[in-house]
Amino acid sequence: DAGVTQSPTHLIKTRGQQVTLRCSPKSGHDTVSWYQQALGQGPQFIFQYYEEEERQRGNFPDRFSGHQFPNYSSELNVNALLLGDSALYLCASSPRDRNFNTEAFFGQGTRLTVV
Amino acid sequence: AQKVTQAQTEISVVEKEDVTLDCVYETRDTTYYLFWYKQPPSGELVFLIRRNSFDEQNEISGRYSWNFQKSTSSFNFTITASQVVDSAVYFCALIHQAGTALIFGKGTTLSVSS
């Protein structure tokens, strides 16, 4: 059973460019959350998708957008990249559970470097 | 507002030493969940434990143990007889029942030398 898979693993982009990161959730999971982890910091919540809709959003600008597909996979898009967007982007999947009685499973992340 | 504080930025120990990682949290909710995750150099966050706010029993899993004290808003993690493979960054996190976002602390980097 494959866990959460993310692609690509590493990416280098130039300021002002746009980037798309991809995530496939663990089998049986329908909810996908994205987190940004800057160097030396804890992960910060970006947003969560369920039933192909953004259900909750953290304190991130509109340059960060996402999408969820019918097969529950998800994309994170970042426009007009800034140097400060350089970080590890983590995807987490979980089954829909209002009480969050199960842990979220995380992928290995995509390391984005903006130069 | 919810907040998780991990005051220890880095800890270095020698193999077989016991080590405790501290976690203090803030929340106004009466129902919430606390987590510990391990992040090895590969980057993936590995789930270690989840506790809900109504269960203050301490838990032991092999060399790992957790001490949850609501009176001090703490959820500390102890590794007994540490090993080199325990070297990683450890994160404490919080979520309230109605929310969907994990609130993470800044993490504690544990280095275990042989």
Side-chain angles (χ1 to χ4, degrees), chain A residues 77-94:
Chain A
N77 301 295
V78 187
N79 294 323
L81 284 167
L82 304 173
L83 294 180
D85 294 332
S86 295
L88 179 68
Y89 288 84
L90 293 163
C91 172
S93 76
S94 56

Side-chain angles (χ1 to χ4, degrees), chain A residues 33 35 37 40-45 48 55-56 88 90 96 98-109, chain B residues 33 35 37 39 42-47 50 52 89 91 95-107:
Chain A
S33 302
Y35 291 80
Q37 185 179 11
Q41 301 295 315
Q44 298 288 317
F45 175 73
Q48 181 186 81
R55 298 292 175 171
Q56 188 175 355
L88 179 68
L90 293 163
R96 187 63 176 172
R98 290 183 180 180
N99 293 323
F100 207 84
N101 280 323
T102 56
E103 67 274 20
F105 287 82
F106 284 83
Q108 287 193 319
Chain B
Y33 294 84
F35 298 76
Y37 282 89
Q39 187 175 45
S42 62
E44 180 179 357
L45 283 168
V46 178
F47 167 83
R50 175 193 68 250
N52 72 55
V89 182
F91 290 98
I95 189 170
H96 65 85
Q97 185 178 29
T100 57
L102 283 161
I103 309 298
F104 285 88
K106 291 189 175 182

